[in-house]
Amino acid sequence: MGIAVGIDLGTSNSVIATVLDGQAIVLADAEGRSVHPSVVAFGYGHAVVVGHRARQQLAYAPENTVFSAKRLIGRRYASEEVQRLRRTVGWGIAEGPRGDARVRVQGRVYAVQEISAHVLAHMKVIAEQATGQTVDGAVITVPAYFNDQQRQATRDAATIAGLTCLRIINEPTAAALAYGYGQAHRQHIAVYDLGGGTFDISILRLEGELFEVVSTAGDTFLGGDDFDMTIADHLIEQFKQQTGVDITENPAARAKVLDAAERAKRALSQVNAVAVKVPALTRDDAGEPLGLSTTLDQTTVQNLVMPLMQRTFVVCDEAISQAGLTNAQVDHVLLV
């Protein structure tokens, strides 16, 4: 029998933890990194790399590098969300035999569960190397608003990865357990969980070691990916104004700008303004390389993403109303 782990299988990044000597600890890879990109890259002969190495391939081989696959899990190909994603990624999205959305790379079509399984298998290897023990069971977190089909698809991905899925647990509930376990007093908490691809808000009542989910609301197609894409669209428009060239339909150029958008977003958490330089996005009629050079400041980005933030506020109002509470009756807000 191997040990069990907990896996946060995220849209953008994944994390793995286990309990050693009564303490839950996050496990790091050989380089000491504890957060791992949920990215799967296909190379020569359909060889697969996952995580940080895969993310490095995104800028120069976007058509072979699958990211944000979790946004497709359990979804219909014809859905508005899938068609929107199709226009923004370099890899292909195909229709499965039962109308489900699938991933197409290098001429092959994969079920989304197969892509997620590569990420889970990568996490399994990290845990086995970190602990020196066999890993065969996992508790996996999912967005609270995932439906039965999406939850079953997550279980299927675990099975493909060689893991027994011991339990599927809602992400906000997992966060509340980590926050409130062992606290004796009674309280209502709101768990505001804005992830890479999904947004959940859960209202929980904590009383001793009893955790009751009073209400849950969410948007399974709203997250950091949308922030990045919104910023990237702004940068692409800046490039068009500077050069007169539209790179919207250029997957390689879009991937480079998307990477720059995410880096800028992160930097703007620390500084008020950041320079954005992306060389050689395309070439002009004379064959000379054209790059983007501009600046972004916090105010500009906040204005760009405010419609996305307002979407989260609408969902928060819905959850608090369902719980039969007022804002004043929520004792604490837990940000995930």
Side-chain angles (χ1 to χ4, degrees):
M1 289 288 292
I3 62 170
V5 293
I7 300 176
D8 176 8
L9 178 62
T11 304
S12 302
N13 297 287
S14 294
V15 178
I16 187 165
T18 194
V19 176
L20 295 175
D21 300 323
Q23 291 291 318
I25 60 165
V26 172
L27 301 174
D29 63 13
E31 284 76 40
R33 298 171 299 206
S34 57
V35 177
H36 312 281
S38 304
V39 181
V40 178
F42 294 82
Y44 181 74
H46 303 286
V48 174
V49 294
V50 183
H52 291 278
R53 284 178 59 203
R55 199 182 192 288
Q56 292 169 359
Q57 183 177 305
L58 187 59
Y60 63 85
E63 70 282 359
N64 295 335
T65 310
V66 182
F67 64 95
S68 298
K70 182 178 171 181
R71 303 197 95 171
L72 295 179
I73 204 161
R75 291 193 181 274
R76 309 291 294 173
Y77 174 80
S79 70
E80 179 186 340
E81 294 89 350
V82 170
Q83 293 308 307
R84 194 162 75 226
L85 188 62
R86 262 187 77 213
R87 296 190 290 269
T88 58
V89 297
W91 42 276
I93 300 177
E95 185 171 9
R98 288 185 290 275
D100 56 317
R102 300 201 170 193
V103 173
R104 185 178 65 246
V105 181
Q106 294 181 337
R108 289 190 181 182
V109 175
Y110 301 88
V112 183
Q113 293 93 313
E114 295 178 85
I115 304 298
S116 294
H118 282 300
V119 177
L120 290 171
H122 180 66
M123 306 303 286
K124 181 177 185 285
V125 169
I126 289 170
E128 290 178 338
Q129 291 175 343
T131 63
Q133 300 184 67
T134 301
V135 171
D136 59 15
V139 175
I140 303 174
T141 62
V142 297
Y145 239 51
F146 257 25
N147 60 32
D148 290 343
Q149 189 174 356
Q150 290 168 312
R151 290 167 191 267
Q152 185 57 50
T154 304
R155 291 188 185 92
D156 294 342
T159 301
I160 297 168
L163 289 165
T164 299
C165 184
L166 302 172
R167 182 173 293 185
I168 294 287
I169 186 169
N170 290 345
E171 290 161 2
T173 305
L177 286 166
Y179 159 76
Y181 186 76
Q183 296 193 27
H185 53 284
R186 186 175 188 272
Q187 56 185 319
H188 284 103
I189 66 168
V191 184
Y192 179 101
D193 184 355
L194 183 59
T198 57
F199 172 67
D200 284 319
I201 174 80
S202 291
I203 310 297
L204 290 94
R205 182 182 295 115
L206 277 58
E207 192 161 8
E209 293 186 5
L210 176 67
F211 290 73
E212 180 187 357
V213 179
V214 182
S215 70
T216 291
D219 186 330
T220 56
F221 216 86
L222 173 61
D225 282 357
D226 301 288
F227 285 66
D228 297 343
M229 289 173 186
T230 299
I231 298 166
D233 287 342
H234 172 76
L235 293 174
I236 287 169
E237 182 59 32
Q238 294 264 298
F239 180 76
K240 185 178 179 180
Q241 291 176 11
Q242 290 176 6
T243 65
V245 178
D246 187 355
I247 57 170
T248 305
E249 303 299 325
N250 183 331
R254 277 196 67 93
K256 289 180 180 179
V257 175
L258 190 61
D259 182 58
E262 187 194 7
R263 291 176 189 275
K265 179 188 72 175
R266 289 171 180 263
L268 288 170
S269 295
Q270 308 294 330
V271 297
N272 291 324
V274 63
V276 179
K277 296 183 185 296
V278 191
L281 283 173
T282 187
R283 294 184 179 275
D284 62 17
D285 294 338
E288 293 298 316
L290 295 174
L292 170 68
S293 180
T294 187
T295 58
L296 276 176
D297 58 46
Q298 286 185 355
T299 302
T300 299
V301 170
Q302 285 167 358
N303 289 337
L304 287 170
V305 303
M306 184 50 70
L308 300 173
M309 292 304 302
Q310 288 172 335
R311 281 171 61 187
T312 74
F313 300 154
V314 171
V315 179
C316 289
D317 290 342
E318 180 186 339
I320 292 171
S321 174
Q322 283 179 11
L325 300 174
T326 65
N327 289 350
Q329 289 173 299
V330 175
D331 299 295
H332 298 286
V333 177
L334 193 60
L335 297 178
V336 182

